Each structure stands twice: as C-alpha cells, then as structure tokens.
C-alpha cells in the first residue's frame, strides 16, 4: 500500500518536536497529533478542532513501557489488556503521573493511553520518540475521518503535516476502558465487549457520562439529519420523510435494503465490522451530495455492533449544536 516516505515521517516527527500539529492514520480513524507533554502544542489541538477544554485527549505511545511512564499506577488488568490488545484499538484510563500536563487530560487526574497498531502511526511514534496526544482529526462534533481527505476538509490550514495511510481498517474509534477500579467501558469501540470480558472477566456497568467527558457532547454528526429505523420500518420511514419534500438517502443491510434510488447497501446485518469500516465515510459522502436526511438501519449490538449503534445514536441526537 502506498504510504508516506521515510522523509515524510521524519518531517512529521520534527513538526511534533517543534510543537506543531500532524494528522496521521491509526487503525481506527485519523488522529490530530501534538507533543502530549507540551502544553502550548496541546492547546493548538483544542483550537484547531474547536474542542471544549474539558474533553480530555488520548495519549498515543509506541509500547506498554512508554505508557507506564505516563501513569501513576499500572494494575494487573492493564498489563493483561496491553499484552492481549496492544498495539490495537484499545485505550486505557489510569491515574496520571505528574509528567502529563493538565491541559492534555482536560483537568482530570487520570490519563488515557493507547498503543496504535497502524504501521504509519508506529513509524511516527518511533521517529518522534515522544508521547503524542491525538483526538480524531475532525472538527468537533463531525464524523471522525477515515480518509486523509476528510481530515483535510475539516482542518485545512491548521495542520503542519498530513500523513496519508489510505482508508483506515477499523473505522470506529478505540474502545476506552477505565481501569481505576473494576474495569468498565467508557466508550465502546474497535475492541468488542465480549473480547474484553474474555480477558478480564465481567465489566462493571456502563458508567455515568461524567466519567468519559467526550460522551457528553453531540458527536459523529453529518449535516444531514440521521434517523435510526428498525429493519421492518426502514421503507416507511424513508417514504414519510420524502413525502415532506426532503432529499433522503438510506444506509441498509444486504438483507433489508428496499429497492429504489439513493439506497446504500452497507453490508450484511451480522457483519458489523463492515459497517464500522464504512460508516463515517458514507455519512460524509452523503453530505457532499447534499442530502437533507439519512435513514440508517439499526444493527444488532454484538461485536462491533455496539460501537456502530453508539455512534449512530449520538449522530441522531436531537440537541444538535
Ligand atoms: O481510536 C481512537 O481512539 C482515536 C484515534 C486517533 O486514536 N482517537 C479518538 O480520540 O477517538 P477522541 O479525542 O476523539 O476521543 C477520546 C475519548 C473521548 O470520549 C474522551 O472524553 C475520552 O476518550 N477520554 C480521554 N481521556 C480520558 C480520561 N482521562 N478519562 C475519561 N475519558 C477520557
Ligand atoms: Mg473524536
């Protein structure tokens, strides 16, 4: 696969060391990176994204040893999960060490750490030799970018270097797990709940929103209004909206896609990974085509279905900014 040259990786690493911003691919979505221990650099992330200051960032590191330097405590569950899922789409929240500036963690005394698996992210972290704070590389509230062009469209002019690693594999963001007590999922994502439970036993109940500040905000939303529909109501929903004179598309499964124009067949209902991979790009493409609304078929919550449905529910929320 074509990717950045070693020179481009070096340029990006140098930009990070100078406190500038770099867009880079991870296996989940593209990240907007900055030197995590440099408060001025991290401030540029918040400004470029238009991100609320109390929404903490994930710090990306090359390996579990580098992660341990950022935390005050490394419990057995962290060691276990790191061995099992890193590099990969898993983020762990732990008590932070004094090295991590408050701005990086949105003022919290915990820090979120992740070792990404994408070879370009790995090369960048190795070349830079520093921890990289990186939220998804979208303007705050928009669908996360799974192609470098999506990040450019949102952030143009605010970033020093863009690294192109092609479309991302997973398509939804990492699973965020809180390990300060009994492990709990703060945000479902690229590692499925059942796989986590196979590693650390039953997870604590879904946490209150204040434990993962990012989940308070409307998120992942295209300009088009998102409507969720059960498989058997999809066609009716589409007709009702079109009867109002709106331009409406649908995202549907192989099994349930109704005939007609502007119906995108995303994948099988049971293939949530295929939906995860394509979802954000499809929402952005429908926006580019000027649709007023999109009706999306609800998926079963197993595997990556939990993350896909989480993103869709947030995109569909009424309290649109
Ligand atoms: O896959 C991903 O996680 C991507 C790639 C770039 O790594 N990053 C990403 O970052 O999705 P962002 O900023 O869009 O989402 C980070 C989530 C937010 O919901 C945030 O509130 C939560 O992680 N988070 C970060 N630090 C936290 C902390 N100390 N405590 C609780 N939640 C935290
Ligand atoms: Mg994000």
């Amino acid at each position: 696969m074509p990717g950045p040259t070693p020179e481009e990786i070096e340029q990006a690493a140098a930009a990070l060391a100078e406190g500038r911003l770099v867009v880079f691919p991870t296996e989940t979505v593209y990240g907007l990176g900055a030197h995590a221990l440099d408060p001025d650099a991290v401030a540029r992330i918040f400004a470029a994204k238009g991100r609320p200051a109390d929404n903490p960032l994930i710090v990306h590191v090359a390996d579990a040893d580098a992660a341990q330097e950022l935390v005050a405590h490394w419990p057995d569950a962290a060691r276990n999960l790191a061995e099992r899922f890193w590099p990969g789409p898993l983020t762990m929240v732990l008590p932070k060490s004094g090295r991590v500036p408050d701005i990086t963690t949105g003022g919290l005394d915990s820090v979120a750490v992740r070792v990404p698996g994408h070879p370009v992210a790995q090369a960048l972290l190795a070349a830079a030799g520093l921890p990289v704070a990186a939220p998804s590389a979208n303007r705050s509230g928009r669908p996360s970018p799974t192609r470098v062009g999506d990040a450019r469209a949102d952030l143009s002019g605010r970033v020093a270097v863009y690294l192109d690693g092609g479309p991302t594999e997973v398509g939804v963001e990492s699973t965020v797990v809180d390990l300060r007590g009994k492990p709990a999922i703060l945000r479902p994502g690229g590692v499925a709940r059942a796989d986590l439970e196979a590693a650390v036993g039953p997870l604590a109940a879904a946490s209150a929103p204040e434990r993962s500040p990012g989940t308070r905000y409307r998120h992942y939303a295209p300009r088009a209004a998102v409507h969720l529909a059960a498989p058997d109501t999809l066609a009716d929903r589409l007709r009702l909206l079109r009867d109002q004179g709106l331009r409406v598309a649908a995202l549907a499964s192989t099994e349930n896609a109704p005939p007609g124009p502007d119906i995108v067949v995303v994948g099988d209902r049971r293939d949530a990974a295929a939906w995860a991979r394509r979802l954000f790009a499809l929402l952005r493409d429908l926006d580019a085509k000027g649709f007023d609304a999109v009706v999306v078929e609800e998926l079963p919550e197993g595997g990556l279905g939990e993350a896909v449905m989480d993103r869709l529910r947030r995109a569909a929320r009424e309290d649109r900014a």
Side-chain angles (χ1 to χ4, degrees):
M1 191 186 60
T5 62
E7 293 72 33
E8 286 172 314
I9 298 281
E10 284 304 328
Q11 270 167 20
L16 289 173
E18 288 163 12
R20 297 190 301 151
L21 301 183
V22 170
V23 164
F24 65 100
T26 81
E27 71 278 39
T28 57
V29 302
Y30 277 76
L32 173 64
H35 187 336
L37 307 183
D38 175 348
D40 295 333
V42 172
R44 287 187 192 105
I45 292 179
F46 284 93
K49 277 191 64 114
R51 183 180 178 105
D54 64 352
N55 192 357
L57 304 177
I58 295 172
V59 181
H60 299 68
V61 287
D63 53 36
D65 288 342
Q68 285 175 65
E69 288 174 24
L70 302 175
V71 305
H73 177 55
W74 187 247
D76 287 345
R79 184 176 330 113
N80 180 356
L81 290 175
E83 273 169 18
R84 201 102 163 211
F85 296 107
W86 279 356
L90 181 72
T91 295
M92 305 194 217
V93 172
L94 291 158
K96 86 177 180 75
S97 91
R99 295 181 65 208
V100 184
D102 285 342
I103 184 172
T104 305
T105 63
L108 298 177
D109 55 11
S110 58
V111 62
V113 288
R114 163 160 124 84
V115 176
H118 195 291
V120 173
Q122 289 269 337
L124 178 65
L125 289 166
L130 44 85
V132 175
S136 50
N138 50 282
R139 286 283 291 175
S140 207
R142 303 259 305 138
S144 296
T146 54
R147 304 167 295 197
V148 76
D150 299 335
R152 267 184 208 278
D154 275 21
L155 299 170
S156 109
R158 303 166 198 263
V159 173
V161 180
Y162 291 87
L163 296 176
D164 186 355
T168 59
E169 267 307 302
V170 179
V172 291
E173 302 84 347
S174 61
T175 302
V176 180
V177 207
D178 190 346
L179 296 181
R180 288 169 296 171
K182 188 172 181 195
I185 292 181
L186 302 181
R187 178 183 71 180
V191 173
R193 179 179 293 273
D195 293 333
L196 283 174
E197 292 195 326
V200 291
L203 297 163
S207 57
E210 62 267 22
R211 294 180 69 192
S212 184
T215 58
R216 273 203 299 271
Y217 302 101
R218 184 180 67 93
H219 214 147
Y220 315 111
R223 273 179 284 275
V226 174
H227 299 266
L228 283 168
D232 56 340
T233 64
L234 190 100
D236 283 349
R237 212 43 192 286
L238 200 56
R239 189 165 343 102
L240 279 170
L241 288 162
R242 284 177 174 163
D243 286 349
Q244 295 171 33
L246 299 171
R247 275 194 69 203
V248 191
L251 303 183
S253 67
T254 326
E255 296 93 321
N256 296 305
D262 302 327
I263 312 290
V264 182
V265 180
V266 184
D268 289 1
R269 271 181 74 65
R270 310 238 155 254
D271 189 2
W275 283 68
R277 193 177 310 122
R278 298 184 65 193
L279 180 67
F280 290 141
L282 285 170
L283 292 176
R284 282 178 177 263
D285 290 347
L286 293 174
D287 267 357
K289 291 180 185 148
F291 285 98
D292 301 307
V294 49
V295 180
V296 186
E297 180 178 327
E298 290 172 349
L299 291 192
E301 303 253 350
L304 293 199
E306 183 179 0
V308 169
M309 285 304 297
D310 171 78
R311 305 308 186 266
L312 285 171
R313 278 192 213 99
R314 292 181 202 289
R317 262 164 64 163
E318 294 294 318
D319 51 339
R320 298 168 66 97

